[in-house]
Amino acid sequence: MKTFFNVEDIGNLDQALAEAKEIKQNRFGFQKLGKNKTLLMVFFNNSLRTRLSTQKAALNLGMNVIVLDVNAGAWKLETRRGVIMDGDKSEHLLEAIPVMGCYCDLIGVRSFAGLKDRDYDYAETIVNQFVQYSGKPVFAMETATVHPLQAFADLITIEEHKKSKRPKVVMSWAPHCRALPQAVPDSFAQWMNAADVDFVITQPKGYELDPKFVGNAKVEYDQKKALEGADFVYAKNWSCPGVTNPADYGKILNKDMNWTIDKQHMSWTNDGYFMHCLPVRRGLIVTDDVIESDHSLVIPEAANREISAEVVLKKLLESL
């Protein structure tokens, strides 16, 4: 595995889940793989779980870790081609990336969508430059359109808690006060489509995800109908993906609080579990009584971020 952005990059999904189970039982069993190897984690955006879990996973594997916060202590980086650099950006990414590649064996990149130019975001302009110019294996720590480490951890969590062979998993849009990217729902949809689950997406009109991520999922605009019989409810906000109207890309089209997941919503499920990637806005995405209930999986999900990252890093190290 030379890159990790999409579910197909992981290879056989059942095998990856088996590796996750093995690693969870012995997190330090593959330290020879990472000995004298260095992971560089490049952050263009803030992080809590991704930073901590990925660094912990690398340490489990015996790796050295360098963390670069691009917006805190580094030169301001220009990412566009063909510009006259007479502003506040002192270095171009085209020079910075190969320099970074000199100091490491693997590179993880976190770079959110700008939500202003859909073509720029969906072309994954920044991370693809790392793939092209670093000379090292590159993996996503959340990009403009995907967050596969989160989706893999979500799938591990579902596998650990499912009560039937093919559970019903519902991803429900929920309101938010800010315009958020589609990376988490994109990847969750992609990974659920690849897994053996009955997958449903429910959201208001105008919030349709890109078809390449929706895949074979059932799309239901009636939230109650979607949640009926659900074994897992994955709540997440996203701004307009601009599929039906590109001019609306990145906009907030709806703040309907009836979509907030509360006890009534969960009562429509099959005694379902609540899931969210975190951080979560209480009272907007979910009520306190739901996220604090014994059917909330938000902490086990976060814990499994270490496991998903370790599986991915192991596979990348094996490719060196």
Side-chain angles (χ1 to χ4, degrees):
M1 188 167 74
K2 295 294 186 181
T3 59
F4 178 70
F5 296 99
N6 301 300
V7 67
E8 56 265 25
D9 296 331
I10 202 72
N12 183 284
L13 196 53
D14 289 335
Q15 182 182 340
L17 288 168
E19 286 188 60
K21 185 175 181 180
E22 179 184 6
I23 282 174
K24 199 163 187 177
Q25 293 171 344
N26 182 12
R27 299 169 200 237
F28 307 104
F30 300 95
Q31 290 195 338
K32 288 183 179 179
L33 276 175
K35 185 178 180 181
N36 297 327
K37 297 292 192 298
T38 298
L39 167 65
L40 172 62
M41 300 166 61
V42 183
F43 290 90
F44 290 84
N45 300 94
N46 295 337
S47 175
L48 190 152
R49 275 149 298 278
T50 298
R51 179 184 300 234
L52 296 178
S53 62
T54 308
Q55 186 166 354
K56 177 63 164 59
L59 294 172
N60 291 350
L61 290 166
M63 300 188 74
N64 303 310
V65 181
I66 301 172
V67 179
L68 176 64
D69 283 302
V70 171
N71 298 316
W75 298 114
K76 289 188 176 180
L77 296 176
E78 179 59 69
T79 61
R80 300 168 298 164
R81 281 184 168 275
V83 297
I84 298 174
M85 292 175 57
D86 59 355
D88 65 341
K89 295 177 180 177
S90 306
E91 186 164 8
H92 203 288
L93 205 58
L94 294 178
E95 286 78 59
I97 289 173
V99 169
M100 293 179 199
C102 294
Y103 306 140
C104 66
D105 300 282
L106 306 178
I107 300 179
V109 183
R110 185 174 179 92
S111 178
F112 292 175
L115 296 179
K116 295 179 180 179
D117 184 335
R118 190 182 194 281
D119 291 339
Y120 181 89
D121 287 344
Y122 273 71
E124 292 290 9
T125 306
I126 292 178
V127 294
N128 279 333
Q129 290 183 73
F130 277 88
V131 173
Q132 187 173 359
Y133 299 114
S134 70
K136 299 296 163 67
V138 177
F139 66 96
M141 299 192 301
E142 187 171 353
T143 71
T145 66
V146 294
H147 195 357
L149 288 174
Q150 179 65 54
F152 187 15
D154 295 332
L155 179 57
I156 294 169
T157 308
I158 289 171
E159 285 293 307
E160 291 174 336
H161 291 85
K162 68 182 184 181
K163 299 173 183 176
S164 62
K165 183 177 180 181
R166 195 169 192 271
K168 180 178 180 180
V169 179
V170 179
M171 180 170 69
S172 176
W173 179 92
H176 203 282
C177 55
R178 296 177 57 198
L180 299 184
Q182 299 98 46
V184 169
D186 282 348
S187 278
F188 188 77
Q190 187 183 60
W191 284 68
M192 290 304 107
N193 277 315
D196 188 16
V197 302
D198 177 12
F199 182 50
V200 180
I201 302 172
T202 183
Q203 86 264 322
K205 292 281 187 179
Y207 282 95
E208 294 81 4
L209 295 171
D210 192 295
K212 70 180 181 181
F213 297 111
V214 174
N216 296 321
K218 179 181 178 181
V219 177
E220 175 57 65
Y221 295 99
D222 184 328
Q223 189 190 31
K224 181 177 181 181
K225 186 176 179 181
L227 292 175
E228 288 175 351
D231 298 294
F232 297 90
V233 177
Y234 196 95
K236 185 69 182 80
N237 173 268
W238 60 91
S239 61
C240 176
V243 173
T244 56
N245 186 0
D248 286 336
Y249 174 64
K251 292 182 179 179
I252 297 174
L253 305 179
N254 193 320
K255 290 185 177 181
D256 186 354
M257 295 289 287
N258 290 317
W259 284 79
T260 301
I261 303 297
D262 58 17
K263 273 192 172 182
Q264 182 181 31
H265 288 74
M266 296 304 294
S267 73
W268 301 332
T269 71
N270 181 29
D271 198 26
Y273 289 104
F274 174 80
M275 301 180 71
H276 190 277
C277 60
L278 302 182
V280 66
R281 298 268 184 153
R282 291 185 178 218
L284 287 175
I285 302 291
V286 61
T287 56
D288 289 348
D289 50 7
V290 171
I291 197 171
E292 293 177 14
S293 75
D294 58 5
H295 271 51
S296 173
L297 296 180
V298 297
I299 304 305
E301 281 178 84
N304 278 330
R305 290 293 308 278
E306 176 187 346
I307 306 305
S308 67
E310 190 165 346
V311 173
V312 169
L313 290 175
K314 175 178 175 289
K315 286 181 172 292
L316 291 168
L317 286 169
E318 289 170 342
S319 73
L320 294 178

